[in-house]
Amino acid sequence: MTLPRLSAALFSETNLSIGPLLPWRQRQHAVSPRIAHLGIGAFHRAHLAWYTDALMHAGGDDPWPWAIMGVSLRSPEVAAQLNPQQGLYTLQQSSASSTSQQLIQSVLGVLVAPQDPAAVIALLGARTTDIISLTVTEKGYCLDLVSRQLDFAHPDIVFDLAHPSTPRSAIGYLVAGLAERFAKGYPAPTILCCDNLPQNGVTLSRLVTQFAEKLNPELAAWISAQVAFPSSMVDRIVPATTQADIEVLAAETGYMDLAMVKTEQFSQWVIEDKFAGVRPAWEQVGALLVQDVTPFEHAKLRLLNGAHSALAYLGTLAGYSYVHQVVADPLFGRYLRHLMTQELMPTLLVDGQAPAGLDLPAYIDALLQRFANPALAHRTMQIAMDGSQKLPQRLLAAAEQRLQAGKSVDAICFAVAGWLRFSMGFDAKGDALEVADPLAARLLEIRLVHWDHIDELVGEYLKLSQVFAPALVAYPQFAQRLTYWLSYILANGVPTALQSLLLEVQDYAAAPRLATLGGSAK
């Protein structure tokens, strides 16, 4: 039996239990999107779109809803999933003991940028588009991770400067849309970055302005003066949806939803309260509006994302496919707690205290519980993508900070060694590993040429300035410990090397919980 596809008509005909449709959806009249989102993947649909949907339900019959039009910058896959469903999709939230589904109605549809760049630019340049948000991953910003400036040698940036009306990059599209608004005298929008970049609003503002200066200095000046770029911190674990997930949902609900998203029950969103004009009242549905996002951002990047990267590379090399399997291994559990508590958490303290509103030991406890949730089936290989873009802000910045203070970095170096070992493209059994990384070819080249000399091998890795900042490489201890642990992992495998690490360092598992370091939880 062929099941019907999720659609507004299906809800009207069958009164499905996860409805009902919002009033403006029932009327089926034309609605102009007020939010344009670049990079409408699973994370956006489980996060910003979920908050916006909750606000729509809380606000009743809004004659002008905060509807979202998504933009896929590369692949038409998400458009093929969402557009036949009028933007509707099911969000499945799971804990270790329960699962629930809800219909998300905040998305109108998806534009595919390569198919119709003019439509995307018109959306970004429309007077009615108040918010332009992004989740395009770290590599989508064409950012030089060392200088923190726009990489003008990036092929997409080179192309976009030569072809501004048919861009390829998120930066190129943003500037093209802003140019439309500037030329027509429309009000400036708010551009809201939701990716894991340090000071993501400040960073995005700099990249957009630098690009615009190459095209039109007057436009660049207007952007600097009028467009708002609030920083934000986003936190929710969103595994990739599998065909099996879709089939299980279909069996439970009686309809096919090719755009379904699965996530955990936990969600957090901290936004700098700096908008160019009107905005959704996201704080009414759980978002936190603050003056300074930095403490929340650093805590999340280092403790959640840093630990995630560590367990992804090391866990994969140890033969684990899922995050909850890694955390269930007592050896890895001890390592992760040591990494977070003894090396990463201290970099977040100011005068020995956590920033106000952050109970860091409690946050670490909660993270380990979230990682252990088997219902998410979060693949380590999903987290392992694009390590060269992620490690600088997740782990390497903390390593530099600790070395500057004269502190040890063994647990961090062990995780970085795990990434380098993973990048070699084969596991402990010799089977091939897929290394999805912008620097994959260069990493492989280094391994092939310098395989027989561990000091040369690590020395060549450390020349990758896109990953390893010169200030970090200047500390001899970093290269020494990285070389030591990479050599140990290569010779003995991750589990044996991990046992040695925990013998060498002050194992947190034997120490009392440092509850006094936490601030007040809110």
Side-chain angles (χ1 to χ4, degrees):
M1 176 181 176
T2 301
L3 295 177
R5 185 83 174 264
L6 175 62
S7 66
L10 179 65
F11 274 78
S12 300
E13 294 168 1
T14 61
N15 192 28
L16 293 176
S17 60
I18 61 171
L21 293 176
L22 288 163
W24 63 270
R25 283 278 191 180
Q26 295 173 3
R27 291 195 298 269
Q28 297 183 342
H29 65 271
V31 172
S32 296
R34 300 177 71 182
I35 302 172
H37 186 85
L38 304 184
I40 184 166
F43 182 82
H44 166 73
R45 283 177 276 156
H47 197 265
L48 188 152
W50 175 73
Y51 280 97
T52 305
D53 180 81
L55 184 60
M56 288 178 172
H57 281 87
D61 189 3
D62 188 342
W64 193 28
W66 284 98
I68 302 166
M69 179 60 73
V71 176
S72 288
L73 293 173
R74 302 289 182 187
S75 169
E77 180 179 356
V78 177
Q81 294 169 352
L82 276 171
N83 286 343
Q85 301 179 180
Q86 296 86 50
L88 302 174
Y89 61 95
T90 308
L91 183 69
Q92 179 171 291
Q93 301 176 77
S94 300
S95 69
S97 59
S98 65
T99 297
S100 63
Q101 292 97 17
Q102 70 180 100
L103 175 70
I104 304 299
Q105 305 181 52
S106 54
V107 177
L108 295 174
V110 180
L111 300 177
V112 181
Q115 295 178 358
D116 195 348
V120 175
I121 294 171
L123 169 69
L124 303 181
R127 182 192 291 272
T128 52
T129 303
D130 296 306
I131 308 286
I132 301 171
S133 52
L134 302 90
T135 48
V136 296
T137 75
E138 293 91 336
K139 68 181 178 181
Y141 291 89
C142 306
L143 171 69
D144 184 315
L145 293 175
V146 176
S147 68
R148 311 301 299 173
Q149 309 300 313
L150 186 63
D151 181 3
F152 283 104
H154 192 287
D156 287 350
I157 297 301
V158 172
F159 180 90
D160 290 356
L161 287 172
H163 308 87
S165 63
T166 57
R168 293 175 178 171
S169 72
I171 302 299
Y173 272 106
L174 288 174
V175 173
L178 293 172
E180 285 269 306
R181 302 173 81 110
F182 177 64
K184 296 177 180 178
Y186 290 167
T190 295
I191 300 182
L192 179 57
C193 178
C194 297
D195 278 304
N196 290 321
L197 295 173
Q199 296 183 306
N200 55 16
V202 174
T203 299
L204 183 54
S205 174
R206 179 168 60 249
L207 302 180
V208 168
T209 304
Q210 288 175 343
F211 186 96
E213 284 173 345
K214 296 288 187 179
L215 298 177
N216 182 346
E218 291 184 1
L219 170 62
W222 177 78
I223 292 171
S224 296
Q226 300 295 327
V227 180
F229 292 87
S231 290
S232 72
M233 185 280 284
V234 297
D235 187 356
R236 198 169 210 189
I237 296 172
V238 185
T241 301
T242 67
Q243 183 61 35
D245 295 325
I246 294 172
E247 292 172 359
V248 169
L249 180 69
E252 293 177 356
T253 63
Y255 63 81
M256 292 295 295
D257 181 358
L258 301 186
M260 72 160 289
V261 177
K262 61 180 184 179
T263 187
E264 61 180 335
Q265 292 184 344
F266 176 90
S267 184
Q268 187 178 29
W269 193 13
V270 184
I271 313 169
E272 181 183 10
D273 194 1
K274 185 178 74 173
F275 289 76
V278 294
R279 64 168 179 82
W282 284 311
E283 70 275 16
Q284 293 182 8
V285 289
L288 183 63
L289 275 290
V290 300
Q291 294 303 308
D292 185 9
V293 174
T294 305
F296 300 91
E297 168 196 292
H298 284 176
K300 190 258 182 173
L301 278 172
R302 295 182 183 182
L303 295 177
L304 188 157
N305 298 125
H308 245 175
S309 288
L311 68 82
Y313 299 118
L314 298 169
T316 297
L317 292 169
Y320 293 118
S321 298
Y322 297 97
V323 169
H324 67 272
Q325 295 172 334
V326 181
V327 179
D329 184 322
L331 192 64
F332 277 92
R334 288 167 55 199
Y335 165 70
L336 289 170
R337 187 175 286 279
H338 176 90
L339 171 68
M340 289 192 282
T341 303
Q342 301 294 81
E343 294 196 10
L344 297 178
M345 186 174 75
T347 69
L348 304 171
L349 305 179
V350 179
D351 297 327
Q353 296 293 320
L358 290 174
D359 183 339
L360 296 175
Y363 184 48
I364 290 170
D365 288 343
L367 285 175
L368 290 171
Q369 291 176 7
R370 292 166 62 193
F371 293 165
N373 182 358
L376 291 178
H378 199 183
R379 290 188 172 274
T380 54
M381 288 295 288
Q382 181 187 355
I383 302 167
M385 296 173 61
D386 302 330
S388 66
Q389 308 293 299
K390 296 174 178 177
L391 262 61
Q393 53 265 25
R394 295 185 176 195
L395 291 171
L396 299 179
E400 183 178 339
Q401 187 175 332
R402 284 186 62 78
L403 289 168
Q404 188 176 27
K407 303 297 184 180
S408 65
V409 290
D410 275 275
I412 295 175
C413 284
F414 194 91
V416 178
W419 170 63
L420 292 175
R421 172 63 184 85
F422 175 91
S423 75
M424 294 178 180
F426 61 93
D427 63 15
K429 298 178 181 179
D431 295 331
L433 289 172
E434 180 184 359
V435 181
D437 192 291
L439 295 183
R442 177 60 183 144
L443 289 163
L444 178 60
E445 180 185 10
I446 291 172
R447 192 261 287 181
L448 293 174
V449 173
H450 301 280
W451 173 256
D452 293 331
H453 303 279
I454 188 66
D455 291 326
E456 289 183 12
L457 180 67
V458 173
E460 290 300 312
Y461 284 137
L462 293 180
K463 290 179 183 178
L464 297 171
S465 60
Q466 311 98 308
V467 182
F468 300 102
L472 174 62
V473 176
Y475 290 99
Q477 183 183 353
F478 182 74
Q480 292 166 3
R481 302 316 291 167
L482 184 59
T483 302
Y484 178 81
W485 289 119
L486 180 57
S487 177
Y488 209 126
I489 291 171
L490 283 168
N492 302 284
V494 166
T496 300
L498 196 50
Q499 288 176 334
S500 179
L501 171 73
L502 292 173
L503 287 173
E504 289 195 22
V505 300
Q506 180 184 353
D507 186 357
Y508 177 80
R513 184 176 182 271
L514 305 179
T516 56
L517 291 178
S520 59
K522 293 183 179 179

